[in-house]
Amino acid sequence: MADIRIVPSLDFATASLDAFLELVDEFPSPAVGLATGNTPLGLYHALGRAVMDGAVSVGQVRPFAIDEYVVARHHPCSNREFFERHWETIEDAAPVAQFDPEAPDLAAEAARFAAALAAAGGLDVAVLGIGTNGHLAFNEPGSTAECRARVVELADGTREAVKGCFGAESPRAGLTLGMAELLGARAVLLLANGASKAGVVARALRGVPSPECPASLLQGHERLLVVLDEDAARALD
Ligand code: PGA
């Protein structure tokens, strides 16, 4: 059974931080998959403040990206740049292991990244957001529980959602960990906030599990912690 925590929007960042620390503290040197996007921003900022205050440390965390756009490596809207701004500015945080979107052979790059993660023991904790179409990382609808790290075509809605940053040149492809690597995490922290996520949160947590909503495949994960704000939880019974 998932542990679902519903909090007022103002408390979403703090509740996300509490849940993150709770899971990360279960492992001595956790390999942690890190989401990008708007959802985890409050978590990373709250974490940065907590580290600065000396309240916590993330020096023991081994961070891994969960996906990347196929764009120039240092494109300002890339996940690499996101981590540089929002994770690597945390005082004691280790640099994030990343996909290289400029690798000459992207399929080989996905395999290299998956092998590096496997050599690290696989994910201990996966920190995930959710797309309005149910995607996790870039596992778009149709992704089965068995799919592995690979190059994918991005769904129209996914491209649309990031047009604010990329403009007309919104990328068509991405590199992503697969559902197999994400579901294989020993613990999963799923985060969602805002009314635009209410429908998909209900499908993911209450619908019949199906690749049509990859996030629904998390149902039944033995250590699933979900933090929602009240708006994102609105369609749950
Ligand atoms: P968001 O993206 O956090 O920016 O809403 C979530 C996702 O698409 O996984």
Side-chain angles (χ1 to χ4, degrees):
M1 265 306 262
D3 174 354
I4 301 175
R5 302 175 185 176
I6 300 169
V7 298
S9 298
L10 282 175
D11 298 333
F12 182 67
T14 325
S16 301
L17 176 62
D18 290 346
F20 175 87
L21 294 172
E22 197 174 313
L23 293 183
V24 159
D25 283 350
E26 291 178 8
F27 306 90
S29 178
V32 180
L34 296 175
T36 57
N38 292 315
T39 310
L41 271 179
L43 160 62
Y44 299 147
H45 293 168
L47 182 58
R49 284 193 298 274
V51 171
M52 204 153 45
D53 292 348
V56 302
S57 164
V58 286
Q60 79 288 12
V61 168
R62 295 175 293 150
F64 286 81
I66 58 171
D67 54 15
E68 180 59 287
Y69 298 98
V70 176
V71 289
R73 193 182 292 131
H74 292 286
H75 190 292
C77 308
S78 66
N79 288 346
R80 183 177 297 258
E81 293 292 312
F82 176 99
F83 287 127
E84 206 163 284
R85 283 196 294 274
H86 303 297
W87 175 266
E88 285 159 11
T89 46
I90 298 173
E91 237 165 57
D92 61 352
V96 179
Q98 313 255 359
F99 289 99
D100 178 7
E102 290 187 13
D105 178 343
L106 290 175
E109 171 58 12
R112 177 204 65 80
F113 189 78
L117 177 60
L123 290 176
D124 293 303
V125 180
V127 177
L128 304 174
I130 182 171
T132 51
N133 66 358
H135 74 199
L136 294 180
F138 286 146
N139 294 283
E140 302 286 19
S143 301
T144 65
E146 292 77 32
C147 68
R148 307 202 73 89
R150 65 205 187 285
V151 191
V152 292
E153 194 178 316
L154 300 178
D156 289 345
T158 303
R159 300 184 63 213
E160 194 62 40
V162 292
K163 271 205 169 139
C165 188
F166 283 102
E169 285 162 30
S170 186
R172 293 181 179 281
L175 286 152
T176 188
L177 287 181
M179 291 303 296
E181 286 99 357
L182 299 179
L183 294 171
R186 291 166 193 93
V188 174
L189 173 58
L190 180 67
L191 304 173
N193 63 342
S196 67
K197 300 289 173 72
V200 75
V201 162
R203 281 173 65 209
L205 299 178
R206 302 283 187 250
V208 176
S210 150
E212 284 319 301
C213 178
S216 68
L217 301 174
L218 288 170
Q219 288 180 33
H221 190 286
E222 63 179 23
R223 186 83 177 95
L224 172 62
L225 213 160
V226 185
V227 178
L228 306 172
D229 78 346
E230 285 165 348
D231 291 332
R234 202 184 284 166
L236 293 179
D237 39 84

